[in-house]
Amino acid sequence: MQIGRWDVRSLDFGRFRLDGGAMFGVVPRVVWEREAPPDALNRIELALRCLLLRDGVRTVLVDCGVGDKDGPLFREMFALDDAGRSLCELLAEQGLGPADVTDLVLTHLHFDHAGGAVRLEGDRGVPALPNARIHLQRRQWEWAQQPTLRDRASYLKENLELLRELDLHLLEGPSELFPGLSLRVVDGHTPGMQLVELDGEAGPGLVHCADLVPTAAHLPLPWVMGYDLFPLSVVEEKQALYQSHGDGSSWLVFEHDPRLAAARVDTRGRRPVIVESLERL
Ligand SMILES: [Zn+2]
């Protein structure tokens, strides 16, 4: 898909599972299970999807999945799909090698978004994308060094230790990172999470919703996750997102939706309505 000057592709690593109750916060199971049927352990299926953006000058990845450093216990707990593909394989399908990626935008540092930035070589961590500059909000970086008791399970120490040695570009708020590619900053899920927005110029724009709207089931304003640190802020930030992108023209990209990679959504009525959707970009 072309959005303004950017060629956009979705890279699909595979599936994992998280507790359905945690994914839907105060929404009762009898309501959410219609949207996301749980397994016997109450877990729902989720995608691990990242975006590849190219404008002829830069090759940008937005998030990079869980990575391949985790042991069998971890993989079993989250039902990480071993049939899923590695970052190398996904890039190769696009005719790229890891060294071709110039920039990695990390929306935030939760393990399912940032773990793939480092891979193991023997017992040593090395950058998965050796030439990539890593763009991250400073507030998220600082938060991740000392998360609270409530959210520290979302950050893996080994990921952070290895990231520290890479080419980190710590950002101080919203900005236009590259021509036609801007960063919106939201704080309700975790402080300093950033969303990538592409300027459609004459056509539709695009926003990568990260964990603000992780799946299409989370489109209704009160459907916010139990994982969110500040749920009322999430509701307000979704309202603001819909002010910019909710008239049915922009593409909303869902990082974790097991079926839909992106949708154009009209949020102006009582409930959001999907106008058009795509399983991959
Ligand atoms: Zn997250």
Side-chain angles (χ1 to χ4, degrees):
M1 162 185 287
Q2 190 73 28
I3 302 286
R5 59 189 285 140
W6 294 91
D7 175 83
V8 181
R9 309 285 166 97
S10 55
L11 306 185
D12 198 335
F13 290 96
R15 299 288 176 270
F16 74 129
R17 287 181 178 270
L18 291 176
D19 185 82
M23 282 302 290
F24 291 108
V26 296
V27 179
R29 172 169 162 164
V30 288
V31 179
W32 62 251
E33 71 183 353
R34 289 182 232 144
E35 304 293 328
D39 67 9
L41 297 175
N42 208 48
R43 301 174 304 183
I44 62 165
E45 186 181 41
L46 295 164
L48 285 164
R49 183 181 288 117
C50 72
L51 274 189
L52 174 67
L53 311 172
R54 282 173 289 185
D55 72 345
V57 181
R58 312 213 73 90
T59 299
V60 182
L61 266 182
V62 182
D63 284 348
C64 53
V66 175
D68 53 9
K69 302 186 296 301
D70 305 300
L73 252 180
F74 180 93
R75 302 186 72 82
E76 196 188 315
M77 178 157 73
F78 296 108
L80 266 173
D81 174 4
D82 278 310
R85 286 164 307 160
S86 72
L87 184 54
C88 268
E89 288 169 300
L90 292 169
L91 288 171
E93 281 171 19
Q94 304 293 332
L96 296 169
D100 296 321
V101 177
T102 57
D103 298 273
L104 170 63
V105 175
L106 292 178
T107 59
H108 62 305
L109 290 171
H110 287 168
F111 70 86
D112 52 326
H113 298 255
V118 177
R119 64 178 180 79
L120 277 187
E121 212 172 70
D123 57 358
R124 215 170 56 89
V126 296
L129 305 165
N131 298 322
R133 189 149 200 237
I134 299 177
H135 308 273
L136 176 71
Q137 291 293 319
R138 181 184 297 280
R139 278 191 298 126
Q140 174 61 192
W141 174 249
E142 286 171 357
W143 184 273
Q145 311 306 316
Q146 284 184 308
T148 65
L149 288 172
R150 187 166 185 270
D151 65 333
R152 67 177 181 188
S154 299
Y155 296 98
L156 301 184
K157 221 169 72 195
E158 58 268 33
N159 285 337
L160 296 178
E161 280 167 5
L162 296 165
L163 269 173
R164 192 168 286 126
E165 294 162 26
L166 306 185
D167 180 14
L168 277 185
H169 175 210
L170 297 178
L171 294 143
E172 309 288 347
S175 63
E176 186 175 47
L177 188 60
F178 304 120
L181 188 162
S182 302
L183 302 170
R184 172 190 284 254
V185 180
V186 289
D187 299 308
H189 177 61
T190 180
M193 181 169 79
Q194 55 187 3
L195 312 183
V196 168
E197 292 177 298
L198 298 181
D199 179 356
E201 296 171 12
L206 177 146
V207 58
H208 179 275
C209 299
D211 277 351
L212 185 63
V213 188
T215 76
H218 291 86
L219 282 166
L221 289 172
W223 287 51
V224 305
M225 293 190 282
Y227 296 113
D228 294 331
L229 292 179
F230 308 103
L232 290 177
S233 304
V234 170
V235 174
E236 284 170 16
E237 289 161 355
K238 282 166 75 171
Q239 264 171 325
L241 185 81
Y242 295 168
Q243 289 285 329
S244 316
H245 296 286
D247 68 354
S249 62
S250 288
W251 287 100
L252 274 61
V253 174
F254 306 117
E255 192 156 0
H256 293 312
D257 193 287
R259 287 179 301 112
L260 304 183
R264 295 194 295 113
V265 185
D266 187 341
T267 60
R268 292 169 295 184
R270 220 170 64 83
R271 282 183 71 87
V273 175
I274 292 182
V275 178
E276 187 183 357
S277 62
L278 293 170
E279 292 185 2
R280 58 178 301 164
L281 301 174

